[in-house]
């Protein structure tokens, strides 16, 4: 198996070029598990996340939230992640999360990312198709994979209202046409999750997931996972989700652990930073386990 060869080569200190997430997503789809995308904002959280992937022998995707593209250190940050990932024995790819334009997608690929997500979920369908198609054309020419969004995964603060009317949920008949016309590699769908913290109990529309799964063959992606129960994750993955995006819970847990460590008598800059790294490592390992990705690298 190529995977095992990769692990052996890396143990000998051979640098492996990073590749697109697409192959790992296809393997996950065939194997009924999900590859985690953990958003990463700075080095401490990143190091905890990478440690979790390596200790769990899991493939993973480091997600760069589009807002970071305006920061002066973004090129250096992507290159740091890339260098660390190339040294890692597990397959790690780097994707833009919720990219806002073709230009932004091309920019992060030039910085060293392996994949992009273009999010036209709020656009009219025809416009979403047109821009996504141009992102796919240019990204594929660079060897990168593309995720797009159809339907709209809203914010948790609006959750109670959104769910009642299934507002913004992905329409199965549009999903088939969207894949056909854009050539996208993975599709983020809206089936009842929300970004950030939920107001109210999250409910997944598994009937809708089954309908979409039956009509399209690309890996499906769940955003807004923080707050779902382990059983809900497993049901979504069993129902055909092959990638799950997570951050809110990681950030909240790390924040709480840092505050708690700061109360300790011998608390220091180093011990508080270490508490953050540990929180990321432990929460990521938990999710890797729930997603069935442990041992898949
Ligand atoms: Zn998202």
């Amino acid at each position: 198996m190529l995977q095992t060869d990769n692990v052996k080569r890396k143990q000998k200190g051979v640098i492996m070029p990073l590749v697109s997430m697409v192959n790992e997503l296809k393997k996950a789809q065939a194997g009924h598990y999900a590859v985690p995308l953990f958003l990463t904002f700075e080095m401490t959280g990143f190091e905890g996340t990478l440690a979790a992937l390596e200790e769990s022998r899991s493939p993973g995707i480091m997600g760069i939230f589009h807002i970071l593209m305006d920061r002066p250190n973004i090129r250096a940050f992507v290159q740091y992640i890339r260098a660390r990932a190339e040294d890692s024995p597990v397959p790690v790819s780097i994707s833009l999360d919720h990219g806002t334009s073709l230009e932004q997608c091309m920019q992060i690929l030039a910085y060293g990312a392996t994949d992009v997500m273009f999010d036209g979920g709020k656009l009219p369908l025809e416009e979403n198709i047109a821009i996504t198609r141009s992102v796919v054309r240019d990204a594929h020419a660079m060897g990168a994979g593309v995720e797009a969004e159809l339907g709209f995964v809203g914010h948790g603060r609006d959750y109670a209202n959104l769910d009642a009317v299934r507002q913004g949920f992905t329409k199965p008949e549009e999903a088939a046409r969207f894949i056909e016309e854009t050539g996208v590699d993975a599709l983020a769908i809206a089936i009842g999750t929300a970004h950030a913290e939920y107001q109210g109990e999250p409910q997944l529309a598994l009937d809708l997931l089954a309908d979409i799964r039956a009509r399209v063959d690309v890996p499906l992606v769940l955003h807004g996972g923080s707050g779902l129960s382990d059983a809900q994750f497993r049901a979504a993955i069993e129902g055909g989700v092959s990638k799950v995006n997570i951050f809110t819970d990681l950030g909240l847990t790390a924040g709480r652990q840092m505050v708690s460590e700061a109360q300790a008598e011998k608390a220091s800059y180093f011990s508080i930073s270490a508490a953050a790294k540990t929180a990321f490592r432990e929460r990521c390992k938990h999710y890797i386990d729930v997603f069935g990705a442990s041992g898949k690298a």
Side-chain angles (χ1 to χ4, degrees), residues 50-204:
L50 184 65
L53 292 172
E54 293 182 350
E55 287 166 27
S56 303
R57 291 271 160 196
S58 169
I61 304 161
M62 298 295 173
I64 306 287
F65 195 52
H66 68 94
I67 299 282
L68 268 61
M69 292 298 287
D70 295 330
R71 293 193 184 169
N73 66 352
I74 185 62
R75 186 174 75 87
F77 185 50
V78 172
Q79 299 214 338
Y80 173 83
I81 295 172
R82 194 174 168 99
R84 294 287 289 129
E86 283 171 344
D87 285 342
S88 175
V90 297
V92 177
S93 38
I94 308 167
S95 182
L96 176 64
D97 195 40
H98 295 283
T100 56
S101 67
L102 171 64
E103 292 70 22
Q104 193 179 51
C105 291
M106 292 306 108
Q107 189 68 70
I108 198 163
L109 292 178
Y111 290 164
T114 59
D115 300 279
V116 293
M117 176 203 187
F118 170 72
D119 180 358
K122 274 190 282 190
L123 299 174
L125 181 62
E126 301 305 325
E127 207 177 327
N128 190 2
I129 288 176
I131 303 176
T132 301
R133 191 194 283 137
S134 63
V135 172
V136 169
R137 182 197 58 214
D138 290 3
H140 280 184
M142 297 171 74
V146 180
E147 174 183 334
E149 179 162 319
L150 187 62
F152 176 57
V153 178
H155 195 282
R157 64 175 168 259
D158 307 320
Y159 191 73
N161 307 327
L162 286 174
D163 183 54
V165 291
R166 292 193 164 199
Q167 185 188 325
F169 282 22
T170 306
K171 297 187 175 74
E173 61 280 7
E174 285 183 2
R177 184 185 154 209
F178 188 85
I179 303 291
E180 171 86 22
E181 295 191 12
T182 61
V184 80
D185 302 291
L187 185 67
I189 53 172
I191 57 166
T193 54
H195 289 114
E197 285 185 275
Y198 288 86
Q199 294 294 317
E201 285 296 303
Q203 306 279 340
L204 292 182

